[in-house]
Amino acid sequence: MFVLRMSRPDDVDALVQLGHKAGPGLTTLKPDPDAQGARLQRVQRTIAGSAELPEQGYLFVLEDTTSGKVVGVCGIEVAVGLDQAFWTYRMDTFVHASRELGLWTRMDKLHMSHGLTGYSELCTLFLDPDYRVNGNGSLLSKARFMFIGQFRERFAERICAEMRGYFDDNGESPFWKALGAHFYRIDFHEADRLVALGKKSFLAELMPRYPVYIDFLPQDARDCIGKVHKETEPARRLLEVEGLRLEQHVDIFEGGPVLEARIDDLRVMRDSGLCQVEIVAEAAADAPRQLVANGELADFRVILAAANVSAGVVHLTAEQARALQVKAGDRVRVMLQNPAK
């Protein structure tokens, strides 16, 4: 069985190993023990209530309960951009018209923006390729929404998710090559490394001062805008099912989409509910797949379980209850894995 749980300080080595597998473009999962250790300590301060708002964040890991191996990671930042600006490109459409000639054109532009300041952010989603089966990716992504539903008061009014952008077969970003490289004059991976280390001042110092006309970019760079990395396509679909959408913002490095939503409009706020646990000998053959989360903060846990719900009671097997560290009579949050049709 697989369980998503709150991270612990001793997860450093597991995060480093996942970082080696993640490759370029996933800024917050670099294989750096010091950086990952510092992040795990920040999570502990957030849980303890000693972290100031700009540094608050949560990190979760997906663990194989049989082997104890950590095979995935995901996170939530509480409020981005309060300490260092959270830069994106904002896409706007302008109309240029000549009354004398009777002509008009519609032009799309990119503006440097920090309009997402204060948003909560879904981040650091990565699942070991060897474990991308049997709904593990769905559990890893959707479990974060269960945490938000359980602890709504800990988050902002709106939430975003900066998706990993498109890279070609050579591991290069056409968007970066056509735009960012001209302003920052460093390799993409070096810029990515500096951001991962928290050295973001160069973004403001070297960024474009004026809007960028999208039509002036090469076609392969234009095609990148709002497009995700091939390994990120399933993650995007999962987030869209939960209520996030591309609105106006894209990543400044690769042009990947930044999905957004009001937290109170997310599916979890509408479709999840609290149920009392009842232990059964085995799950019913026709039981639907449910996300089930315990009510703990420091040891928050979520599983994907075949379980029936009736009259405010969820029927869990003893194994499922152990994975969640709950017992009969405890209250858990439950939501169908996929929206009811």
Side-chain angles (χ1 to χ4, degrees):
M1 179 178 292
F2 290 86
V3 59
L4 180 129
R5 61 167 174 81
M6 184 68 73
S7 62
R8 303 187 297 249
D10 61 359
D11 288 321
V12 172
D13 290 344
L15 294 180
V16 170
Q17 291 175 18
L18 289 174
H20 282 296
K21 294 189 175 186
L26 194 54
T27 305
T28 55
L29 190 60
K30 297 302 180 186
D32 182 331
D34 292 337
Q36 298 305 333
R39 186 173 188 187
L40 291 170
Q41 290 299 326
R42 181 163 65 89
V43 171
Q44 293 301 304
R45 291 194 298 275
T46 302
I47 294 170
S50 60
E52 297 295 327
L53 182 60
E55 75 159 348
Q56 289 178 16
Y58 303 93
L59 197 67
F60 311 91
V61 297
L62 186 66
E63 180 181 293
D64 182 341
T65 59
T66 302
S67 65
K69 181 179 179 180
V70 169
V71 301
V73 60
C74 63
I76 313 173
E77 293 297 322
V78 172
V80 298
L82 300 183
D83 184 25
Q84 297 193 58
F86 186 80
W87 291 107
T88 62
Y89 277 123
R90 189 186 77 246
M91 301 180 291
D92 288 316
T93 299
F94 289 81
V95 174
H96 302 264
S98 169
R99 184 173 183 180
E100 181 178 359
L101 297 178
L103 297 174
W104 65 277
T105 58
R106 184 187 301 271
M107 304 290 289
D108 294 325
K109 299 179 184 179
L110 299 174
H111 298 256
M112 292 297 296
S113 168
H114 47 83
L116 302 183
T117 298
Y119 279 43
S120 295
E121 183 197 15
L122 300 169
C123 59
T124 321
L125 180 72
F126 181 74
L127 178 61
D128 186 320
D130 294 337
Y131 292 85
R132 294 175 184 175
V133 294
N134 300 328
N136 289 335
S138 177
L139 171 59
L140 185 63
S141 179
K142 294 173 183 264
R144 295 174 294 181
F145 295 101
M146 298 294 280
F147 186 80
I148 292 169
Q150 189 68 21
F151 301 102
R152 172 66 185 89
E153 71 283 357
R154 291 178 171 263
F155 298 98
E157 178 183 350
R158 295 186 64 87
I159 195 163
C160 65
E162 195 174 44
M163 308 298 290
R164 190 179 185 186
Y166 173 80
F167 288 79
D168 63 23
D169 293 338
N170 297 318
E172 295 184 351
S173 165
F175 185 82
W176 169 264
K177 184 177 179 180
L179 184 53
H182 294 286
F183 290 92
Y184 300 113
R185 296 298 180 93
I186 55 177
D187 177 75
F188 171 88
H189 301 296
E190 176 62 11
D192 195 42
R193 186 186 71 84
L194 291 173
V195 170
L197 294 173
K199 299 178 180 180
K200 301 179 182 180
S201 61
F202 75 94
L203 295 176
E205 293 164 351
L206 300 176
M207 68 177 59
R209 295 288 186 263
Y210 302 101
V212 175
Y213 282 85
I214 291 177
D215 282 353
F216 289 176
L217 298 176
Q219 186 62 51
D220 61 347
R222 296 203 300 270
D223 291 343
C224 290
I225 297 173
K227 185 177 180 180
V228 295
H229 189 282
K230 61 183 179 181
E231 294 182 0
T232 308
E233 291 172 357
R236 179 177 186 169
R237 290 193 294 269
L238 288 172
L239 293 182
E240 289 175 338
V241 167
E242 299 307 315
L244 282 85
R245 295 288 184 271
L246 172 62
E247 294 187 7
Q248 290 183 295
H249 296 267
V250 297
D251 179 80
I252 62 172
F253 282 0
E254 315 117 57
V258 181
L259 307 184
E260 306 173 44
R262 290 182 68 252
I263 285 183
D264 290 341
D265 291 337
L266 295 173
R267 183 172 75 96
V268 70
M269 306 306 295
R270 178 182 67 251
D271 291 352
S272 73
L274 295 176
C275 294
Q276 189 175 55
V277 173
E278 180 177 301
I279 307 298
V280 295
E282 59 182 8
D286 60 348
R289 287 162 69 86
Q290 311 267 9
L291 291 159
V292 187
N294 70 14
E296 298 295 322
L297 176 61
D299 196 18
F300 181 76
R301 288 170 172 256
V302 187
I303 62 170
L304 186 58
N308 280 321
V309 174
S310 60
V313 173
V314 60
H315 304 283
L316 300 179
T317 66
E319 181 187 16
Q320 293 166 344
R322 280 195 302 271
L324 288 171
Q325 296 187 353
V326 298
K327 60 185 185 301
D330 287 348
R331 291 174 69 80
V332 294
R333 182 168 295 275
V334 181
M335 182 174 73
L336 284 171
Q337 176 188 11
N338 297 309
K341 296 181 179 180

